PDB file of all heavy atoms in Angstrom:
ATOM      1  N   LEU N  77      53.697  84.262  64.448  1.00  0.00           N
ATOM      2  CA  LEU N  77      54.142  85.649  64.510  1.00  0.00           C
ATOM      3  C   LEU N  77      53.720  86.291  65.830  1.00  0.00           C
ATOM      4  O   LEU N  77      54.486  87.032  66.455  1.00  0.00           O
ATOM      5  CB  LEU N  77      53.582  86.424  63.315  1.00  0.00           C
ATOM      6  CG  LEU N  77      53.975  87.909  63.236  1.00  0.00           C
ATOM      7  CD1 LEU N  77      55.484  88.054  63.117  1.00  0.00           C
ATOM      8  CD2 LEU N  77      53.289  88.569  62.039  1.00  0.00           C
ATOM      9  N   SER N  78      52.478  86.005  66.233  1.00  0.00           N
ATOM     10  CA  SER N  78      51.992  86.555  67.491  1.00  0.00           C
ATOM     11  C   SER N  78      52.808  86.039  68.668  1.00  0.00           C
ATOM     12  O   SER N  78      53.180  86.795  69.575  1.00  0.00           O
ATOM     13  CB  SER N  78      50.518  86.193  67.681  1.00  0.00           C
ATOM     14  OG  SER N  78      50.046  86.684  68.920  1.00  0.00           O
ATOM     15  N   ARG N  79      53.131  84.715  68.640  1.00  0.00           N
ATOM     16  CA  ARG N  79      53.920  84.140  69.727  1.00  0.00           C
ATOM     17  C   ARG N  79      55.330  84.748  69.754  1.00  0.00           C
ATOM     18  O   ARG N  79      55.838  85.124  70.809  1.00  0.00           O
ATOM     19  CB  ARG N  79      54.012  82.629  69.535  1.00  0.00           C
ATOM     20  CG  ARG N  79      54.734  81.892  70.670  1.00  0.00           C
ATOM     21  CD  ARG N  79      54.786  80.414  70.396  1.00  0.00           C
ATOM     22  NE  ARG N  79      55.567  80.135  69.186  1.00  0.00           N
ATOM     23  CZ  ARG N  79      56.903  80.100  69.151  1.00  0.00           C
ATOM     24  NH1 ARG N  79      57.597  80.362  70.244  1.00  0.00           N
ATOM     25  NH2 ARG N  79      57.532  79.820  68.032  1.00  0.00           N
ATOM     26  N   THR N  80      55.943  84.854  68.542  1.00  0.00           N
ATOM     27  CA  THR N  80      57.286  85.446  68.478  1.00  0.00           C
ATOM     28  C   THR N  80      57.279  86.891  68.958  1.00  0.00           C
ATOM     29  O   THR N  80      58.172  87.332  69.689  1.00  0.00           O
ATOM     30  CB  THR N  80      57.812  85.373  67.039  1.00  0.00           C
ATOM     31  OG1 THR N  80      57.795  84.011  66.595  1.00  0.00           O
ATOM     32  CG2 THR N  80      59.224  85.919  66.950  1.00  0.00           C
ATOM     33  N   LEU N  81      56.230  87.622  68.510  1.00  0.00           N
ATOM     34  CA  LEU N  81      56.134  89.022  68.918  1.00  0.00           C
ATOM     35  C   LEU N  81      55.967  89.142  70.429  1.00  0.00           C
ATOM     36  O   LEU N  81      56.583  90.004  71.077  1.00  0.00           O
ATOM     37  CB  LEU N  81      54.960  89.682  68.184  1.00  0.00           C
ATOM     38  CG  LEU N  81      54.751  91.178  68.444  1.00  0.00           C
ATOM     39  CD1 LEU N  81      55.987  91.970  68.029  1.00  0.00           C
ATOM     40  CD2 LEU N  81      53.528  91.684  67.691  1.00  0.00           C
ATOM     41  N   ASN N  82      55.134  88.244  70.995  1.00  0.00           N
ATOM     42  CA  ASN N  82      54.945  88.272  72.443  1.00  0.00           C
ATOM     43  C   ASN N  82      56.249  87.954  73.178  1.00  0.00           C
ATOM     44  O   ASN N  82      56.579  88.582  74.197  1.00  0.00           O
ATOM     45  CB  ASN N  82      53.856  87.275  72.851  1.00  0.00           C
ATOM     46  CG  ASN N  82      52.472  87.727  72.400  1.00  0.00           C
ATOM     47  OD1 ASN N  82      52.221  88.936  72.265  1.00  0.00           O
ATOM     48  ND2 ASN N  82      51.574  86.788  72.137  1.00  0.00           N
ATOM     49  N   GLU N  83      56.987  86.927  72.661  1.00  0.00           N
ATOM     50  CA  GLU N  83      58.250  86.584  73.299  1.00  0.00           C
ATOM     51  C   GLU N  83      59.240  87.748  73.245  1.00  0.00           C
ATOM     52  O   GLU N  83      59.918  88.054  74.229  1.00  0.00           O
ATOM     53  CB  GLU N  83      58.865  85.355  72.614  1.00  0.00           C
ATOM     54  CG  GLU N  83      58.095  84.065  72.876  1.00  0.00           C
ATOM     55  CD  GLU N  83      58.720  82.881  72.139  1.00  0.00           C
ATOM     56  OE1 GLU N  83      59.660  83.140  71.349  1.00  0.00           O
ATOM     57  OE2 GLU N  83      58.260  81.751  72.343  1.00  0.00           O
ATOM     58  N   ARG N  84      59.287  88.395  72.061  1.00  0.00           N
ATOM     59  CA  ARG N  84      60.204  89.526  71.947  1.00  0.00           C
ATOM     60  C   ARG N  84      59.784  90.683  72.834  1.00  0.00           C
ATOM     61  O   ARG N  84      60.620  91.363  73.438  1.00  0.00           O
ATOM     62  CB  ARG N  84      60.298  89.972  70.491  1.00  0.00           C
ATOM     63  CG  ARG N  84      61.001  88.942  69.602  1.00  0.00           C
ATOM     64  CD  ARG N  84      61.219  89.468  68.213  1.00  0.00           C
ATOM     65  NE  ARG N  84      61.935  88.478  67.391  1.00  0.00           N
ATOM     66  CZ  ARG N  84      62.269  88.678  66.129  1.00  0.00           C
ATOM     67  NH1 ARG N  84      61.963  89.845  65.534  1.00  0.00           N
ATOM     68  NH2 ARG N  84      62.922  87.731  65.456  1.00  0.00           N
ATOM     69  N   LEU N  85      58.462  90.914  72.915  1.00  0.00           N
ATOM     70  CA  LEU N  85      57.983  91.975  73.804  1.00  0.00           C
ATOM     71  C   LEU N  85      58.315  91.663  75.257  1.00  0.00           C
ATOM     72  O   LEU N  85      58.713  92.549  76.031  1.00  0.00           O
ATOM     73  CB  LEU N  85      56.477  92.167  73.624  1.00  0.00           C
ATOM     74  CG  LEU N  85      56.037  92.850  72.322  1.00  0.00           C
ATOM     75  CD1 LEU N  85      54.513  92.866  72.226  1.00  0.00           C
ATOM     76  CD2 LEU N  85      56.573  94.283  72.247  1.00  0.00           C
ATOM     77  N   ASP N  86      58.171  90.376  75.621  1.00  0.00           N
ATOM     78  CA  ASP N  86      58.520  89.986  76.996  1.00  0.00           C
ATOM     79  C   ASP N  86      60.005  90.181  77.249  1.00  0.00           C
ATOM     80  O   ASP N  86      60.424  90.659  78.319  1.00  0.00           O
ATOM     81  CB  ASP N  86      58.145  88.516  77.227  1.00  0.00           C
ATOM     82  CG  ASP N  86      56.617  88.305  77.218  1.00  0.00           C
ATOM     83  OD1 ASP N  86      55.893  89.299  77.436  1.00  0.00           O
ATOM     84  OD2 ASP N  86      56.186  87.160  77.004  1.00  0.00           O
ATOM     85  N   SER N  87      60.838  89.795  76.220  1.00  0.00           N
ATOM     86  CA  SER N  87      62.288  89.958  76.383  1.00  0.00           C
ATOM     87  C   SER N  87      62.665  91.436  76.511  1.00  0.00           C
ATOM     88  O   SER N  87      63.463  91.816  77.365  1.00  0.00           O
ATOM     89  CB  SER N  87      63.011  89.328  75.196  1.00  0.00           C
ATOM     90  OG  SER N  87      64.405  89.536  75.290  1.00  0.00           O
ATOM     91  N   VAL N  88      62.046  92.247  75.643  1.00  0.00           N
ATOM     92  CA  VAL N  88      62.332  93.685  75.711  1.00  0.00           C
ATOM     93  C   VAL N  88      61.878  94.259  77.042  1.00  0.00           C
ATOM     94  O   VAL N  88      62.569  95.082  77.663  1.00  0.00           O
ATOM     95  CB  VAL N  88      61.664  94.407  74.522  1.00  0.00           C
ATOM     96  CG1 VAL N  88      61.761  95.926  74.708  1.00  0.00           C
ATOM     97  CG2 VAL N  88      62.322  94.012  73.212  1.00  0.00           C
ATOM     98  N   SER N  89      60.707  93.813  77.484  1.00  0.00           N
ATOM     99  CA  SER N  89      60.202  94.303  78.775  1.00  0.00           C
ATOM    100  C   SER N  89      61.141  93.901  79.905  1.00  0.00           C
ATOM    101  O   SER N  89      61.436  94.696  80.807  1.00  0.00           O
ATOM    102  CB  SER N  89      58.799  93.747  79.027  1.00  0.00           C
ATOM    103  OG  SER N  89      57.900  94.185  78.026  1.00  0.00           O
ATOM    104  N   LYS N  90      61.644  92.640  79.839  1.00  0.00           N
ATOM    105  CA  LYS N  90      62.563  92.187  80.887  1.00  0.00           C
ATOM    106  C   LYS N  90      63.868  92.978  80.855  1.00  0.00           C
ATOM    107  O   LYS N  90      64.388  93.401  81.899  1.00  0.00           O
ATOM    108  CB  LYS N  90      62.860  90.698  80.702  1.00  0.00           C
ATOM    109  CG  LYS N  90      63.706  90.081  81.808  1.00  0.00           C
ATOM    110  CD  LYS N  90      63.866  88.596  81.600  1.00  0.00           C
ATOM    111  CE  LYS N  90      64.674  87.981  82.743  1.00  0.00           C
ATOM    112  NZ  LYS N  90      65.976  88.604  82.903  1.00  0.00           N
ATOM    113  N   ARG N  91      64.396  93.172  79.633  1.00  0.00           N
ATOM    114  CA  ARG N  91      65.630  93.952  79.530  1.00  0.00           C
ATOM    115  C   ARG N  91      65.433  95.378  80.022  1.00  0.00           C
ATOM    116  O   ARG N  91      66.283  95.942  80.712  1.00  0.00           O
ATOM    117  CB  ARG N  91      66.112  93.979  78.087  1.00  0.00           C
ATOM    118  CG  ARG N  91      66.622  92.629  77.588  1.00  0.00           C
ATOM    119  CD  ARG N  91      67.095  92.745  76.143  1.00  0.00           C
ATOM    120  NE  ARG N  91      67.549  91.461  75.639  1.00  0.00           N
ATOM    121  CZ  ARG N  91      67.952  91.253  74.399  1.00  0.00           C
ATOM    122  NH1 ARG N  91      67.972  92.281  73.529  1.00  0.00           N
ATOM    123  NH2 ARG N  91      68.350  90.060  74.005  1.00  0.00           N
ATOM    124  N   LEU N  92      64.292  95.950  79.653  1.00  0.00           N
ATOM    125  CA  LEU N  92      64.016  97.312  80.094  1.00  0.00           C
ATOM    126  C   LEU N  92      63.904  97.368  81.608  1.00  0.00           C
ATOM    127  O   LEU N  92      64.426  98.290  82.260  1.00  0.00           O
ATOM    128  CB  LEU N  92      62.724  97.810  79.433  1.00  0.00           C
ATOM    129  CG  LEU N  92      62.320  99.259  79.739  1.00  0.00           C
ATOM    130  CD1 LEU N  92      63.418 100.216  79.277  1.00  0.00           C
ATOM    131  CD2 LEU N  92      61.009  99.600  79.047  1.00  0.00           C
ATOM    132  N   GLY N  93      63.232  96.355  82.174  1.00  0.00           N
ATOM    133  CA  GLY N  93      63.107  96.321  83.629  1.00  0.00           C
ATOM    134  C   GLY N  93      64.458  96.148  84.305  1.00  0.00           C
ATOM    135  O   GLY N  93      64.765  96.838  85.293  1.00  0.00           O
TER     136      GLY N  93
END
Side-chain angles (χ1 to χ4, degrees):
L77 180 61
S78 178
R79 184 180 63 80
T80 304
L81 183 60
N82 290 332
E83 290 178 354
R84 291 186 178 180
L85 287 175
D86 292 339
S87 177
V88 171
S89 298
K90 185 176 182 303
R91 291 180 182 177
L92 183 60

